[in-house]
Amino acid sequence: EAGVAQSPRYKIIEKRQSVAFWCNPISGHATLYWYQQILGQGPKLLIQFQNNGVVDDSQLPKDRFSAERLKGVDSTLKIQPAKLEDSAVYLCASSRSGYTDTQYFGPGTRLTVL
Amino acid sequence: EDQVTQSPEALRLQEGESSSLNCSYTVSGLRGLFWYRQDPGKGPEFLFTLYSAGEEKEKERLKATLTKKESFLHITAPKPEDSATYLCAVQASAGTYKYIFGTGTRLKVLA
């Protein structure tokens, strides 16, 4: 079974630029998560999708971050404009149903904002 | 507020020197506690899920246990390949069931 795929793996941008990350979850997994992991910290949930719908985006900085999950499969996370403090690893995870199932993580995208 | 605290922050062991990592938590009703391993430059890799106090799970040199306030990850006779960051997360039994992660324990096993 293929795991969670993410791209790009690395991205370097200047502050105030925009950037987008892509995630393809494990086949058949209904729930998709985006996390932000700052160096030395644990992952922090940004947004959780159940199929196409948003379940939790309470910690998503909505003035600059946006995310969508079209057709209940792939997802993109966008930052516009980026700030220095957005430098982090952005992890995508998926689970079969969301509420009771284990989350499986992708390799992450390391973002550096200069 | 739901919270997870892991200790120690970092741990250096000699190969074969057994030890334990701690994860203490406060949550308004625990649905599950999860242990993950994270290697540098990679995403967290799932190890165990524990659901109720007294439960234990084992995998190779790792054993996870759970009480009402904390979990331990015991590492028996570790090898250098066990070097990684070990993350603990809790999932509440209400709300959106999101995971709350600790900051992890960085384990280094020396040959």
Side-chain angles (χ1 to χ4, degrees), chain B residues 41-62:
Chain B
K42 296 188 177 181
E45 174 189 349
F46 171 72
L47 293 173
F48 304 110
T49 307
L50 301 167
Y51 293 105
S52 56
E55 188 175 1
E56 298 182 353
K57 294 271 180 75
E58 284 190 70
K59 180 180 178 180
E60 296 180 356
R61 295 176 293 282
L62 301 176

Side-chain angles (χ1 to χ4, degrees), chain B residues 50-86:
Chain B
L50 301 167
Y51 293 105
S52 56
E55 188 175 1
E56 298 182 353
K57 294 271 180 75
E58 284 190 70
K59 180 180 178 180
E60 296 180 356
R61 295 176 293 282
L62 301 176
K63 180 170 130 178
T65 62
L66 181 65
T67 72
K68 288 188 177 180
K69 292 186 177 181
E70 58 191 349
S71 176
F72 292 94
L73 184 65
H74 306 279
I75 304 177
T76 302
K79 298 181 177 182
E81 54 262 42
D82 295 322
S83 297
T85 295
Y86 290 85

Side-chain angles (χ1 to χ4, degrees), chain A residues 21-62:
Chain A
F21 313 127
W22 173 83
C23 172
N24 181 247
I26 294 172
S27 178
H29 280 197
T31 310
L32 185 147
Y33 312 80
W34 283 102
Y35 287 86
Q36 180 191 60
Q37 186 175 26
I38 293 172
L39 187 65
Q41 298 183 19
K44 181 184 82 171
L45 180 70
L46 293 176
I47 189 166
Q48 176 183 342
F49 291 95
Q50 181 75 14
N51 296 309
N52 290 343
V54 175
V55 175
D56 185 346
D57 63 357
S58 58
Q59 298 188 94
L60 186 74
K62 299 180 186 64

Side-chain angles (χ1 to χ4, degrees), chain B residues 2 4-5 28 37-38 45 47 50 67 71 79-80 89 91 111:
Chain B
D2 300 339
V4 176
T5 303
S28 52
R37 167 191 171 129
Q38 187 171 27
E45 174 189 349
L47 293 173
L50 301 167
T67 72
S71 176
K79 298 181 177 182
Q91 184 183 39

